[in-house]
Amino acid sequence: MRILAHIGVAVFVVGVTLVKGYDSEQDANMKPGDAVELAGFRFRLDQVSDVQGPNYLAARATVTVTRKSAVVAVMHPERRVYKVQNNPMTEAAIDTGFARDLYVSLGDPLGAGAWLVRVQHKPFIDWIWGGCLIMALGGLLAASDRRYRYSLKKEPQMSGAIA
């Protein structure tokens, strides 16, 4: 059972290595209708509209992600301004998958309907989380093993001289 935690470490290390080795990102000046290609995915900014949340005002973008003409995801990143703080905050849109995660962030407005948009492709992010879960499961199974439990019973003490 202890081997499971070690397998989790291996999955975690492979995930971190692949993410750091193959991730990609791009910042683009985009207007509605513009698109950018990244890692075989096409990110098209469809529109940016104003929305009101319970305690914030936001510009919400609609970004359609395609791969080989098939729609992969429709994502909605936001640029929020909270009423209390009056500081802009970015809420990234995330589309997760077994072998990759896609991120889209809506940055500053650039004027004339254009926005700064950041798109990211991070492969194997779920492998990092999976490795952590496997490590935790291995630790729980090892902790439940009777051989590793602390016994509250005292060992009998030998008394007297050794004959």
Side-chain angles (χ1 to χ4, degrees):
M1 296 298 173
R2 293 180 301 180
I3 190 95
L4 193 60
H6 291 94
I7 291 170
V9 171
V11 170
F12 176 83
V13 168
V14 167
V16 169
T17 303
L18 291 173
V19 167
K20 284 300 182 187
Y22 295 104
D23 70 331
S24 54
E25 66 182 52
Q26 183 174 348
D27 292 336
N29 177 348
M30 298 177 75
K31 292 181 180 179
D34 290 347
V36 64
E37 300 273 339
L38 181 70
F41 294 93
R42 185 172 189 265
F43 297 81
R44 186 185 71 232
L45 178 64
D46 295 326
Q47 68 176 10
V48 178
S49 57
D50 293 330
V51 296
Q52 183 167 349
N55 61 344
Y56 63 86
L57 299 172
R60 177 182 292 161
T62 301
V63 177
T64 303
V65 183
T66 57
R67 185 171 197 162
K68 297 179 182 175
S69 299
V71 174
V72 174
V74 176
M75 304 172 75
H76 300 282
E78 293 182 354
R79 179 142 176 99
R80 294 180 178 178
V81 177
Y82 288 91
K83 295 175 184 176
V84 174
Q85 297 175 340
N86 206 25
N87 290 330
M89 303 279 294
T90 299
E91 293 293 323
I94 304 170
D95 182 60
T96 60
F98 177 71
R100 57 95 186 124
D101 282 6
L102 301 173
Y103 299 83
V104 178
S105 299
L106 186 63
D108 294 325
L110 302 174
W115 290 83
L116 178 62
V117 178
R118 172 174 279 186
V119 295
Q120 296 176 305
H121 169 258
K122 294 190 178 282
F124 302 105
I125 287 285
D126 287 346
W127 285 47
I128 295 172
W129 290 107
C132 293
L133 290 174
I134 294 169
M135 282 188 274
L137 180 62
L140 288 172
L141 289 175
S144 68
D145 192 337
R146 291 183 63 198
R147 296 175 290 175
Y148 301 111
R149 288 192 200 146
Y150 177 75
S151 175
L152 295 176
K153 296 179 184 178
K154 290 191 173 188
E155 296 287 327
Q157 298 290 323
M158 294 189 68
S159 59
I162 298 178

